[in-house]
Amino acid sequence: MLFETLIRWLGQFERHLTKTDSFISVSNKLTLNLFINTSVVLYIATATHSENYWGRGGLLENTGWLFMSNFVLVRLLSLFNPAHYYRKYQRSKLEADATYMNLIQSEANELFEDEPFDVATRYANNLNTLYFAAFYASMFPLGLILGLIDLGAGYWIDKYILLRRSAWPPQIGSKLAEEMMSNLKFLPLVFVVGNMSTNSMLGTWSFLNGVSLIVALVYFFRADYDFIGDGPEGFRDINTPYQTARQKFATEYDLANPVKAFQVQQELKRL
């Protein structure tokens, strides 16, 4: 929570053209911070101090506990958020007794408005689950199943929170989803590095580790994710319905000003 607050505070000094770019910046920094503080710190602390990998209280056991704590702290706390239920308690008290709180109209509006849905944090948590499971897959294969359960539960929990307990989210373009999906190209590299770390602990290093590292690096530099489709340029046809085209717009500015954004892009190309 401390690092998340610090990242968001520092993000205020970054100059982003759109809200989408701001979310991308925060999500990338949060993902890196979470991965370092879970996977990397746990491994380094064990390797440099206790060297207890398989015994009680060792790296393997702590990895399992981290999976469980991540599920409880991230998923269940978002579902049973104390701040949400305290807000509901204040609403019920105010509805029963108008003199319970002396509020001006703007304060009352804020009290009865739901919390905003934090898209950046959700992406960061999901990516960290994938990285964590991939890094320790060779040492803790059960983590792949636990990670799948975590992502599945997170999907339904986040969907419920978004639809039932969140304020209307800001318009966000498809660029955020594209950038987050492009981070999946790190997965093979994270898996290979984790596998090499496990082999180093076991003393089973072989040339296959080097080969797998080369393959992962080649995949990383050549991976080209295009999950969204043709991009915004293919959806400027005046006959295309807006509700269809809006799914392909890269930023919220495109969503609000599709025609003007296209004209600006054409002028920049001529320059």
Side-chain angles (χ1 to χ4, degrees), residues 185 188-189 192 210-223:
K185 66 185 178 183
L189 189 60
V192 169
V211 173
S212 60
L213 179 60
I214 293 174
V215 172
L217 287 173
V218 171
Y219 178 80
F220 172 78
F221 288 109
R222 292 186 60 86

Side-chain angles (χ1 to χ4, degrees), residues 30-241:
L30 282 176
T31 302
L32 180 62
N33 171 70
L34 289 172
F35 178 67
I36 291 176
N37 282 282
T38 52
S39 305
V40 178
V41 170
L42 175 61
Y43 178 81
I44 293 177
T46 305
T48 58
H49 293 285
S50 66
E51 296 187 357
N52 179 12
Y53 301 115
W54 320 110
R56 185 173 181 82
L59 179 60
L60 184 61
E61 182 177 327
N62 289 334
T63 301
W65 283 113
L66 265 179
F67 270 106
M68 299 302 297
S69 63
N70 181 68
F71 178 77
V72 172
L73 294 177
V74 175
R75 307 303 184 187
L76 295 186
L77 276 184
S78 64
L79 181 60
F80 302 104
N81 188 356
H84 169 74
Y85 290 100
Y86 178 68
R87 184 186 290 255
K88 289 188 65 175
Y89 168 77
Q90 288 184 311
R91 292 174 184 172
S92 62
K93 293 287 290 185
L94 188 61
E95 289 173 348
D97 183 8
T99 62
Y100 169 67
M101 299 172 64
N102 293 323
L103 301 177
I104 60 176
Q105 186 61 50
S106 60
E107 294 173 335
N109 292 341
E110 183 179 356
L111 177 62
F112 280 87
E113 183 181 39
D114 289 320
E115 299 86 355
F117 188 78
D118 193 347
V119 181
T121 300
R122 261 65 179 196
Y123 271 119
N125 289 331
N126 291 336
L127 286 173
N128 179 60
T129 298
L130 292 172
Y131 292 161
F132 187 50
F135 187 80
Y136 287 104
S138 57
M139 179 190 303
F140 190 67
L142 183 60
L144 297 174
I145 299 177
L146 295 178
L148 182 62
I149 295 174
D150 179 80
L151 291 174
Y155 168 79
W156 289 106
I157 291 173
D158 288 344
K159 184 176 182 179
Y160 169 77
I161 293 175
L162 174 63
L163 298 178
R164 300 296 184 182
R165 290 182 6 191
S166 296
W168 188 268
Q171 285 188 321
I172 301 175
S174 61
K175 185 180 179 181
L176 175 61
E178 289 179 322
E179 289 290 335
M180 295 301 102
M181 290 180 186
S182 70
N183 288 336
L184 295 177
K185 66 185 178 183
F186 288 98
L187 274 177
L189 189 60
V190 171
F191 170 77
V192 169
V193 173
N195 186 49
M196 292 171 63
S197 302
T198 302
N199 290 334
S200 177
M201 290 186 297
L202 296 173
T204 57
W205 187 274
S206 69
F207 79 99
L208 291 177
N209 297 115
V211 173
S212 60
L213 179 60
I214 293 174
V215 172
L217 287 173
V218 171
Y219 178 80
F220 172 78
F221 288 109
R222 292 186 60 86
D224 183 17
Y225 286 84
D226 188 16
F227 292 95
I228 304 303
D230 298 329
E233 295 300 328
F235 285 84
R236 303 297 183 177
D237 187 356
I238 192 172
N239 296 318
T240 302

